[in-house]
Amino acid sequence: MTSEAERKMQFLFALRSKGVTDSRVLSAMEKIDRAHFIRNLFADRAYEDMPLPIGAGQTISQPSVVGIMTQALDVQPRDKVLEVGTGSGYQAAILSQLARRVYTVDRHRRLVAEAKAIFERLDLVNITPITADGSFGLPDQAPFDRILVTAAAEDAPGPLLAQLRIGGIMVLPVGQSDAVQSLIRVHRTETGFEYDELRPVRFVPLVEGLGD
Ligand code: SAH
């Protein structure tokens, strides 16, 4: 039997070996226990580097992908961050350790309610969870220093580009939902947008409108 402490060490080691090297990201992922965000049936697999089901047909992302996306976002302590796709709330909790404030939106009311309860239990007071169609962003709170999308669109949604502050960064998967997608990073400059492609990924699709 492996002890909890050993499993956590292996978890961090696996993150490093998959390219998560930013020490701030690693310490956030050490502090926020992924087991809080996983349903009973799968609880003993919290530290494995794989996506797991969370209800409403959705999944909590693979930890190494959470780490790589968070690292690519290069969050600064004073940043206001928008996450599209709350899901279990795990990614938002990691972001909350690095940013000033995190707004996280999901189209499924039930997932938002469950994530909100976990944020309260863990005393993560700088996260605001909201039920909304995130493809339109959150115009009332814009602009954002950083935007992270954890569901795949065919292209970067226009409203999200518009809500990114000049100098800001957005990280998102793009591509057809049933194919391998690309994780891309968008920098907003004074004059436009610069794109770079990071790696292949696979996410559930960004779907229009609210769910249940
Ligand atoms: N970040 C999550 C995993 C996201 S799974 C975590 O850490 O657990 C992708 C999520 O995107 C799903 O919960 C899905 O409901 C949500 N989603 C899909 N389309 C959306 C949209 N248009 N607006 C908001 N959320 C959306």
Side-chain angles (χ1 to χ4, degrees):
M1 278 285 276
T2 344
S3 74
E4 173 107 352
E6 272 173 295
R7 280 206 288 184
K8 279 199 181 176
M9 275 217 331
Q10 281 167 7
F11 176 75
L12 290 169
F13 182 80
L15 289 174
R16 277 200 200 87
S17 73
K18 293 201 172 154
V20 185
T21 52
D22 184 320
S23 59
R24 290 175 309 155
V25 175
L26 285 166
S27 49
M29 294 186 76
E30 184 174 5
K31 185 156 170 235
I32 300 290
D33 192 339
R34 189 170 180 251
H36 291 301
F37 300 87
I38 288 171
R39 303 295 178 275
N40 298 342
L41 194 58
F42 296 99
D44 61 334
R45 305 179 75 172
Y47 308 119
E48 290 176 25
D49 194 27
M50 53 191 317
L52 294 169
I54 56 169
Q58 306 301 324
T59 54
I60 178 171
S61 308
Q62 193 177 342
S64 59
V65 172
V66 170
I68 280 164
M69 289 176 90
T70 309
Q71 183 167 285
L73 201 60
D74 191 26
V75 180
Q76 301 300 311
R78 296 197 48 75
D79 283 353
K80 181 162 76 167
V81 181
L82 171 66
E83 181 200 20
V84 176
T86 311
S88 68
Y90 178 60
Q91 172 74 74
I94 303 294
L95 292 170
S96 78
Q97 303 300 295
L98 304 168
R100 177 170 57 85
R101 173 141 300 272
V102 178
Y103 292 88
T104 181
V105 304
D106 204 289
R107 57 188 290 278
H108 286 290
R109 198 174 302 281
R110 182 162 72 77
L111 292 178
V112 172
E114 286 171 2
K116 183 167 186 278
I118 304 170
F119 300 149
E120 280 167 9
R121 182 143 44 86
L122 300 181
D123 210 19
L124 302 175
V125 294
N126 64 336
I127 309 177
T128 308
I130 297 172
T131 305
D133 180 349
S135 33
F136 298 104
L138 274 184
D140 290 353
Q141 301 301 336
F144 295 97
D145 302 291
R146 299 288 186 267
I147 299 178
L148 183 59
V149 186
T150 62
E154 281 186 30
D155 268 314
L160 296 183
L161 291 171
Q163 288 172 33
L164 190 60
R165 194 190 293 284
I166 291 172
I169 300 174
M170 170 155 72
V171 171
L172 76 165
V174 293
Q176 304 287 340
S177 61
D178 51 354
V180 171
Q181 306 135 2
S182 280
L183 188 64
I184 63 165
R185 177 168 48 196
V186 186
H187 274 102
R188 182 164 195 176
T189 66
E190 293 279 350
T191 51
F193 298 93
E194 286 169 5
Y195 295 80
D196 56 306
E197 203 172 320
L198 305 177
R199 53 170 269 171
V201 281
R202 188 150 197 183
F203 277 85
V204 298
L206 193 72
V207 177
E208 273 182 30
L210 294 185
D212 37 61

